[in-house]
Amino acid sequence: MTTLKQVSSVRCFDGEQRRYEHQASTLNCIMQFSVFLPPQALDGDHVPAVLWLSGLTCTDENFSSKAGAQRIAAELGLALIIPDTSPRGDDVADDDAYDFGKGAGFYVNATEQPWAKHYQMYDYITKELLDVVHSELPLNGKLSISGHSMGGHGALIMALREKERFASVSAFAPIAHPSACPWGLKAFSGYLGEDRATWQQYDAVALLRDGHDCPPLLVDQGGADNFLAEQLNFSVLEETVAKQDVLAQLRLQDGYDHSYYFIASFIEDHLRFHHSYLTR
């Protein structure tokens, strides 16, 4: 069993914002991740959790410091599990671009070299990390998932492929159809190779079209998002969800961009949405 080392803890809304590190066997490197434990967990209760996946260039600390999620998570008694976005370390392959390599793991299991040795982010999140937090932290096993941009893509594909694990799923400005946008084309060809049939398991629109069941879904997309037209395929996601039997709310929020100001504006809606399913 992986041994967790707590590297920091600060008081926050009568809970604790913590940071841990561990040797990640899936990724062959040391990883850090952040956790918010609400006051109920510190008082001895085992609580439900929301797994948050961040976007390009982020670490495990962007969401915890910018989204303002702890206040409502403390009120609702929700833990927040916030992993990093890629493997880390001097031995980990990298790229000079912001949208590939470290900080841009795209939540896939890479098959191409030199990426395959470390970039097994799908298995790290869905297997190793979730096993570790549920064995080491005061969680009750009930789990929902959310994320932003690249992390929204990760949240959607994990919820579609691991439906039995997640009570609900939400996303802010997700890369909904990565097989058909520049970010996804670059990442998938680099990590997975040129056989596009292998990409479909990491594409939310493709998974929905293939008939994968989806937990209850909430998506917010900013209408002033500068990545909306070229990268995010929100309208394609809308059309695909409409054709499937999905309990879903997809909201276009006029005037909002791609930033954490957007996330902070609607994170309470998302946590209350997840709480409603986690406590049923």
Side-chain angles (χ1 to χ4, degrees), residues 126-140:
T126 61
K127 296 179 181 179
E128 184 172 9
L129 180 66
L130 290 184
D131 287 349
V132 166
V133 297
H134 282 103
S135 66
E136 298 291 323
L137 299 176
L139 307 180
N140 67 11

mmCIF file with all atom_site columns, all heavy atoms in Angstrom, residues 126-140:
data_model
loop_
_atom_site.group_PDB
_atom_site.id
_atom_site.type_symbol
_atom_site.label_atom_id
_atom_site.label_alt_id
_atom_site.label_comp_id
_atom_site.label_asym_id
_atom_site.label_entity_id
_atom_site.label_seq_id
_atom_site.pdbx_PDB_ins_code
_atom_site.Cartn_x
_atom_site.Cartn_y
_atom_site.Cartn_z
_atom_site.occupancy
_atom_site.B_iso_or_equiv
_atom_site.pdbx_formal_charge
_atom_site.auth_seq_id
_atom_site.auth_comp_id
_atom_site.auth_asym_id
_atom_site.auth_atom_id
_atom_site.pdbx_PDB_model_num
ATOM 1   N N   . THR A 1 126 ? -7.957  6.833  -11.644 1.00 0.00 ? 126 THR A N   1
ATOM 2   C CA  . THR A 1 126 ? -9.100  5.955  -11.408 1.00 0.00 ? 126 THR A CA  1
ATOM 3   C C   . THR A 1 126 ? -8.770  4.739  -10.554 1.00 0.00 ? 126 THR A C   1
ATOM 4   O O   . THR A 1 126 ? -9.678  4.130  -9.976  1.00 0.00 ? 126 THR A O   1
ATOM 5   C CB  . THR A 1 126 ? -9.704  5.472  -12.736 1.00 0.00 ? 126 THR A CB  1
ATOM 6   O OG1 . THR A 1 126 ? -8.718  4.722  -13.464 1.00 0.00 ? 126 THR A OG1 1
ATOM 7   C CG2 . THR A 1 126 ? -10.184 6.650  -13.580 1.00 0.00 ? 126 THR A CG2 1
ATOM 8   N N   . LYS A 1 127 ? -7.510  4.376  -10.468 1.00 0.00 ? 127 LYS A N   1
ATOM 9   C CA  . LYS A 1 127 ? -7.136  3.197  -9.694  1.00 0.00 ? 127 LYS A CA  1
ATOM 10  C C   . LYS A 1 127 ? -6.289  3.578  -8.481  1.00 0.00 ? 127 LYS A C   1
ATOM 11  O O   . LYS A 1 127 ? -6.742  3.525  -7.345  1.00 0.00 ? 127 LYS A O   1
ATOM 12  C CB  . LYS A 1 127 ? -6.401  2.196  -10.590 1.00 0.00 ? 127 LYS A CB  1
ATOM 13  C CG  . LYS A 1 127 ? -7.280  1.649  -11.713 1.00 0.00 ? 127 LYS A CG  1
ATOM 14  C CD  . LYS A 1 127 ? -6.511  0.680  -12.605 1.00 0.00 ? 127 LYS A CD  1
ATOM 15  C CE  . LYS A 1 127 ? -7.395  0.153  -13.729 1.00 0.00 ? 127 LYS A CE  1
ATOM 16  N NZ  . LYS A 1 127 ? -6.662  -0.768 -14.634 1.00 0.00 ? 127 LYS A NZ  1
ATOM 17  N N   . GLU A 1 128 ? -5.053  3.996  -8.725  1.00 0.00 ? 128 GLU A N   1
ATOM 18  C CA  . GLU A 1 128 ? -4.130  4.174  -7.610  1.00 0.00 ? 128 GLU A CA  1
ATOM 19  C C   . GLU A 1 128 ? -4.555  5.286  -6.659  1.00 0.00 ? 128 GLU A C   1
ATOM 20  O O   . GLU A 1 128 ? -4.650  5.081  -5.442  1.00 0.00 ? 128 GLU A O   1
ATOM 21  C CB  . GLU A 1 128 ? -2.713  4.442  -8.140  1.00 0.00 ? 128 GLU A CB  1
ATOM 22  C CG  . GLU A 1 128 ? -1.679  4.534  -7.037  1.00 0.00 ? 128 GLU A CG  1
ATOM 23  C CD  . GLU A 1 128 ? -0.248  4.603  -7.561  1.00 0.00 ? 128 GLU A CD  1
ATOM 24  O OE1 . GLU A 1 128 ? -0.060  4.750  -8.792  1.00 0.00 ? 128 GLU A OE1 1
ATOM 25  O OE2 . GLU A 1 128 ? 0.667   4.525  -6.733  1.00 0.00 ? 128 GLU A OE2 1
ATOM 26  N N   . LEU A 1 129 ? -4.806  6.481  -7.173  1.00 0.00 ? 129 LEU A N   1
ATOM 27  C CA  . LEU A 1 129 ? -5.117  7.605  -6.295  1.00 0.00 ? 129 LEU A CA  1
ATOM 28  C C   . LEU A 1 129 ? -6.410  7.375  -5.519  1.00 0.00 ? 129 LEU A C   1
ATOM 29  O O   . LEU A 1 129 ? -6.471  7.608  -4.305  1.00 0.00 ? 129 LEU A O   1
ATOM 30  C CB  . LEU A 1 129 ? -5.202  8.904  -7.093  1.00 0.00 ? 129 LEU A CB  1
ATOM 31  C CG  . LEU A 1 129 ? -5.516  10.146 -6.247  1.00 0.00 ? 129 LEU A CG  1
ATOM 32  C CD1 . LEU A 1 129 ? -4.378  10.461 -5.284  1.00 0.00 ? 129 LEU A CD1 1
ATOM 33  C CD2 . LEU A 1 129 ? -5.818  11.349 -7.128  1.00 0.00 ? 129 LEU A CD2 1
ATOM 34  N N   . LEU A 1 130 ? -7.449  6.912  -6.206  1.00 0.00 ? 130 LEU A N   1
ATOM 35  C CA  . LEU A 1 130 ? -8.716  6.703  -5.504  1.00 0.00 ? 130 LEU A CA  1
ATOM 36  C C   . LEU A 1 130 ? -8.593  5.608  -4.462  1.00 0.00 ? 130 LEU A C   1
ATOM 37  O O   . LEU A 1 130 ? -9.197  5.699  -3.381  1.00 0.00 ? 130 LEU A O   1
ATOM 38  C CB  . LEU A 1 130 ? -9.825  6.389  -6.507  1.00 0.00 ? 130 LEU A CB  1
ATOM 39  C CG  . LEU A 1 130 ? -10.264 7.558  -7.391  1.00 0.00 ? 130 LEU A CG  1
ATOM 40  C CD1 . LEU A 1 130 ? -11.441 7.154  -8.267  1.00 0.00 ? 130 LEU A CD1 1
ATOM 41  C CD2 . LEU A 1 130 ? -10.624 8.784  -6.546  1.00 0.00 ? 130 LEU A CD2 1
ATOM 42  N N   . ASP A 1 131 ? -7.826  4.569  -4.743  1.00 0.00 ? 131 ASP A N   1
ATOM 43  C CA  . ASP A 1 131 ? -7.599  3.531  -3.731  1.00 0.00 ? 131 ASP A CA  1
ATOM 44  C C   . ASP A 1 131 ? -6.883  4.113  -2.514  1.00 0.00 ? 131 ASP A C   1
ATOM 45  O O   . ASP A 1 131 ? -7.228  3.814  -1.365  1.00 0.00 ? 131 ASP A O   1
ATOM 46  C CB  . ASP A 1 131 ? -6.784  2.382  -4.319  1.00 0.00 ? 131 ASP A CB  1
ATOM 47  C CG  . ASP A 1 131 ? -7.583  1.509  -5.275  1.00 0.00 ? 131 ASP A CG  1
ATOM 48  O OD1 . ASP A 1 131 ? -8.820  1.665  -5.321  1.00 0.00 ? 131 ASP A OD1 1
ATOM 49  O OD2 . ASP A 1 131 ? -6.966  0.685  -5.971  1.00 0.00 ? 131 ASP A OD2 1
ATOM 50  N N   . VAL A 1 132 ? -5.880  4.961  -2.762  1.00 0.00 ? 132 VAL A N   1
ATOM 51  C CA  . VAL A 1 132 ? -5.098  5.533  -1.674  1.00 0.00 ? 132 VAL A CA  1
ATOM 52  C C   . VAL A 1 132 ? -5.953  6.436  -0.794  1.00 0.00 ? 132 VAL A C   1
ATOM 53  O O   . VAL A 1 132 ? -5.954  6.307  0.441   1.00 0.00 ? 132 VAL A O   1
ATOM 54  C CB  . VAL A 1 132 ? -3.890  6.321  -2.229  1.00 0.00 ? 132 VAL A CB  1
ATOM 55  C CG1 . VAL A 1 132 ? -3.256  7.193  -1.150  1.00 0.00 ? 132 VAL A CG1 1
ATOM 56  C CG2 . VAL A 1 132 ? -2.857  5.376  -2.810  1.00 0.00 ? 132 VAL A CG2 1
ATOM 57  N N   . VAL A 1 133 ? -6.699  7.352  -1.394  1.00 0.00 ? 133 VAL A N   1
ATOM 58  C CA  . VAL A 1 133 ? -7.447  8.306  -0.566  1.00 0.00 ? 133 VAL A CA  1
ATOM 59  C C   . VAL A 1 133 ? -8.569  7.615  0.201   1.00 0.00 ? 133 VAL A C   1
ATOM 60  O O   . VAL A 1 133 ? -8.863  7.988  1.347   1.00 0.00 ? 133 VAL A O   1
ATOM 61  C CB  . VAL A 1 133 ? -7.991  9.489  -1.398  1.00 0.00 ? 133 VAL A CB  1
ATOM 62  C CG1 . VAL A 1 133 ? -6.843  10.299 -1.988  1.00 0.00 ? 133 VAL A CG1 1
ATOM 63  C CG2 . VAL A 1 133 ? -8.961  9.044  -2.476  1.00 0.00 ? 133 VAL A CG2 1
ATOM 64  N N   . HIS A 1 134 ? -9.169  6.592  -0.391  1.00 0.00 ? 134 HIS A N   1
ATOM 65  C CA  . HIS A 1 134 ? -10.245 5.917  0.324   1.00 0.00 ? 134 HIS A CA  1
ATOM 66  C C   . HIS A 1 134 ? -9.725  5.006  1.430   1.00 0.00 ? 134 HIS A C   1
ATOM 67  O O   . HIS A 1 134 ? -10.458 4.711  2.385   1.00 0.00 ? 134 HIS A O   1
ATOM 68  C CB  . HIS A 1 134 ? -11.133 5.148  -0.652  1.00 0.00 ? 134 HIS A CB  1
ATOM 69  C CG  . HIS A 1 134 ? -12.098 6.015  -1.391  1.00 0.00 ? 134 HIS A CG  1
ATOM 70  N ND1 . HIS A 1 134 ? -11.926 6.395  -2.701  1.00 0.00 ? 134 HIS A ND1 1
ATOM 71  C CD2 . HIS A 1 134 ? -13.247 6.623  -0.981  1.00 0.00 ? 134 HIS A CD2 1
ATOM 72  C CE1 . HIS A 1 134 ? -12.922 7.178  -3.068  1.00 0.00 ? 134 HIS A CE1 1
ATOM 73  N NE2 . HIS A 1 134 ? -13.733 7.336  -2.044  1.00 0.00 ? 134 HIS A NE2 1
ATOM 74  N N   . SER A 1 135 ? -8.493  4.583  1.325   1.00 0.00 ? 135 SER A N   1
ATOM 75  C CA  . SER A 1 135 ? -7.933  3.764  2.404   1.00 0.00 ? 135 SER A CA  1
ATOM 76  C C   . SER A 1 135 ? -7.298  4.595  3.507   1.00 0.00 ? 135 SER A C   1
ATOM 77  O O   . SER A 1 135 ? -7.251  4.164  4.671   1.00 0.00 ? 135 SER A O   1
ATOM 78  C CB  . SER A 1 135 ? -6.898  2.784  1.834   1.00 0.00 ? 135 SER A CB  1
ATOM 79  O OG  . SER A 1 135 ? -5.770  3.473  1.324   1.00 0.00 ? 135 SER A OG  1
ATOM 80  N N   . GLU A 1 136 ? -6.831  5.817  3.184   1.00 0.00 ? 136 GLU A N   1
ATOM 81  C CA  . GLU A 1 136 ? -6.055  6.602  4.134   1.00 0.00 ? 136 GLU A CA  1
ATOM 82  C C   . GLU A 1 136 ? -6.812  7.793  4.727   1.00 0.00 ? 136 GLU A C   1
ATOM 83  O O   . GLU A 1 136 ? -6.375  8.346  5.742   1.00 0.00 ? 136 GLU A O   1
ATOM 84  C CB  . GLU A 1 136 ? -4.782  7.119  3.454   1.00 0.00 ? 136 GLU A CB  1
ATOM 85  C CG  . GLU A 1 136 ? -3.839  6.042  2.956   1.00 0.00 ? 136 GLU A CG  1
ATOM 86  C CD  . GLU A 1 136 ? -3.173  5.280  4.086   1.00 0.00 ? 136 GLU A CD  1
ATOM 87  O OE1 . GLU A 1 136 ? -2.839  5.915  5.111   1.00 0.00 ? 136 GLU A OE1 1
ATOM 88  O OE2 . GLU A 1 136 ? -3.003  4.057  3.953   1.00 0.00 ? 136 GLU A OE2 1
ATOM 89  N N   . LEU A 1 137 ? -7.904  8.211  4.115   1.00 0.00 ? 137 LEU A N   1
ATOM 90  C CA  . LEU A 1 137 ? -8.600  9.411  4.555   1.00 0.00 ? 137 LEU A CA  1
ATOM 91  C C   . LEU A 1 137 ? -10.034 9.069  4.990   1.00 0.00 ? 137 LEU A C   1
ATOM 92  O O   . LEU A 1 137 ? -10.579 8.038  4.591   1.00 0.00 ? 137 LEU A O   1
ATOM 93  C CB  . LEU A 1 137 ? -8.628  10.443 3.425   1.00 0.00 ? 137 LEU A CB  1
ATOM 94  C CG  . LEU A 1 137 ? -7.258  10.923 2.933   1.00 0.00 ? 137 LEU A CG  1
ATOM 95  C CD1 . LEU A 1 137 ? -7.411  11.861 1.744   1.00 0.00 ? 137 LEU A CD1 1
ATOM 96  C CD2 . LEU A 1 137 ? -6.484  11.606 4.054   1.00 0.00 ? 137 LEU A CD2 1
ATOM 97  N N   . PRO A 1 138 ? -10.654 9.941  5.797   1.00 0.00 ? 138 PRO A N   1
ATOM 98  C CA  . PRO A 1 138 ? -12.001 9.654  6.325   1.00 0.00 ? 138 PRO A CA  1
ATOM 99  C C   . PRO A 1 138 ? -13.101 9.901  5.290   1.00 0.00 ? 138 PRO A C   1
ATOM 100 O O   . PRO A 1 138 ? -13.922 10.818 5.416   1.00 0.00 ? 138 PRO A O   1
ATOM 101 C CB  . PRO A 1 138 ? -12.115 10.596 7.520   1.00 0.00 ? 138 PRO A CB  1
ATOM 102 C CG  . PRO A 1 138 ? -11.236 11.753 7.172   1.00 0.00 ? 138 PRO A CG  1
ATOM 103 C CD  . PRO A 1 138 ? -10.084 11.167 6.411   1.00 0.00 ? 138 PRO A CD  1
ATOM 104 N N   . LEU A 1 139 ? -13.118 9.051  4.269   1.00 0.00 ? 139 LEU A N   1
ATOM 105 C CA  . LEU A 1 139 ? -14.112 9.141  3.201   1.00 0.00 ? 139 LEU A CA  1
ATOM 106 C C   . LEU A 1 139 ? -15.061 7.950  3.303   1.00 0.00 ? 139 LEU A C   1
ATOM 107 O O   . LEU A 1 139 ? -14.661 6.861  3.720   1.00 0.00 ? 139 LEU A O   1
ATOM 108 C CB  . LEU A 1 139 ? -13.429 9.146  1.833   1.00 0.00 ? 139 LEU A CB  1
ATOM 109 C CG  . LEU A 1 139 ? -12.333 10.197 1.629   1.00 0.00 ? 139 LEU A CG  1
ATOM 110 C CD1 . LEU A 1 139 ? -11.740 10.074 0.234   1.00 0.00 ? 139 LEU A CD1 1
ATOM 111 C CD2 . LEU A 1 139 ? -12.863 11.604 1.876   1.00 0.00 ? 139 LEU A CD2 1
ATOM 112 N N   . ASN A 1 140 ? -16.308 8.165  2.858   1.00 0.00 ? 140 ASN A N   1
ATOM 113 C CA  . ASN A 1 140 ? -17.307 7.092  2.998   1.00 0.00 ? 140 ASN A CA  1
ATOM 114 C C   . ASN A 1 140 ? -17.514 6.285  1.727   1.00 0.00 ? 140 ASN A C   1
ATOM 115 O O   . ASN A 1 140 ? -18.399 5.422  1.680   1.00 0.00 ? 140 ASN A O   1
ATOM 116 C CB  . ASN A 1 140 ? -18.631 7.658  3.511   1.00 0.00 ? 140 ASN A CB  1
ATOM 117 C CG  . ASN A 1 140 ? -19.319 8.586  2.510   1.00 0.00 ? 140 ASN A CG  1
ATOM 118 O OD1 . ASN A 1 140 ? -18.933 8.681  1.345   1.00 0.00 ? 140 ASN A OD1 1
ATOM 119 N ND2 . ASN A 1 140 ? -20.345 9.290  2.980   1.00 0.00 ? 140 ASN A ND2 1
#
